[in-house]
Amino acid sequence: MVVAIARTVHRHVEVDGVRVFYRKSVPDRPDAPVLLLLHGFPSASHQFRRLIDALGTQYRLIAPDYPGFGHTETPDDFVYTFDHLADIIEGFVTRLGLTRFAMYVFDFGAPVGFRLATRHPEWTAGLVVQNGNAYEQGLSDGARDFIALTPDTPGGEDAIRGLLTLPGTRGQYEGGTSVPELVAPDGWTLDQHFLDLPGRKEAQIALAFDYHTNVERYPQWQAWLREHLPPALITWGRNDPFFPETGAHAYLADLPDAELHIFDTGHFALEEKLPEIAPLIADFLDRTWK
């Protein structure tokens, strides 16, 4: 019996003073479709390890850690905004010589990915959207309250810090799942390790206060979707406390031909539903790449 197991390399590349860590599958096919995996909060590229193992023999999967996340190293004076994260990932893509790829956008990966898409429409061969919001109707009341926090909000920073604790991190993984025992504890444990590193909580607080800039750009991103009509696969955990199911259906207003799948799980849908989602991604890449 032949068992196909992906080979994954782990590297760093320098981009504007940032030492960006990334992991990349080495597929057997030299012409393999490329999927750029853009992770969410408070995680890093490690959240895609199982997906890379599942699909990495046939597709080139590339997953960077943003500044302030995972193994990526930033200078002490790095300014944490979503524009700046996108600047670094744009430079990362350029350094790797990528000129065409599909993007997997999840959570924070949506604002990073849509910034790349609007800056370089020619790069985007397709979108895999998983609980990555780009619509006002895709924000829960709790998300709206969180986004409204400012440095001048009484107790605002404390509210953000409360989300950066181990119970808060674990809750993002297990919340809304159908079978919590399918969710490995390794993800939230590693995320919390990174969150507890010096300066990392301050980075997350700065990004939380900057999140309103994403909502302000929703109309621009929606206009880009309508103009370019990229092939899109939308997979969504319906029990996400931040980005409810309405956010998934909202994409169909601008991408009426998008393929939509809703799963009975939470925010980190891949943790519980990888066996269902991975084949959908493979089929999507096979159908749309050329």
Side-chain angles (χ1 to χ4, degrees), residues 25-92:
S25 65
V26 185
D28 298 328
R29 298 167 50 191
D31 62 342
V34 181
L35 181 62
L36 181 66
L37 302 168
L38 297 176
H39 68 79
F41 163 87
S43 198
S45 63
H46 69 84
Q47 77 167 82
F48 295 115
R49 285 178 297 179
R50 294 175 63 223
L51 182 66
I52 292 172
D53 286 342
L55 300 182
T57 61
Q58 295 297 314
Y59 310 97
R60 195 190 318 173
L61 276 60
I62 301 171
D65 292 350
Y66 311 141
F69 296 79
H71 297 285
T72 287
E73 302 169 13
T74 55
D76 292 339
D77 59 351
F78 188 88
V79 178
Y80 289 94
T81 66
F82 281 91
D83 278 345
H84 207 179
L85 295 191
D87 292 342
I88 297 303
I89 299 304
E90 180 183 12
F92 167 79

Side-chain angles (χ1 to χ4, degrees), residues 138-214:
L139 297 172
S140 68
D141 290 341
R144 293 175 189 274
D145 291 343
F146 189 83
I147 293 166
L149 296 174
T150 71
D152 298 325
T153 303
E157 183 173 323
D158 290 339
I160 298 168
R161 286 187 180 274
L163 194 62
L164 307 178
T165 62
L166 182 59
T169 303
R170 179 173 181 172
Q172 292 194 63
Y173 277 81
E174 292 187 320
T177 57
S178 299
V179 186
E181 65 188 35
L182 291 176
V183 181
D186 311 312
W188 72 70
T189 302
L190 188 54
D191 285 350
Q192 195 61 44
H193 162 75
F194 288 127
L195 282 172
D196 290 339
L197 292 178
R200 290 295 181 90
K201 287 187 172 67
E202 288 70 25
Q204 299 305 326
I205 291 167
L207 289 171
F209 285 141
D210 189 59
Y211 200 92
H212 67 92
T213 64
N214 301 326

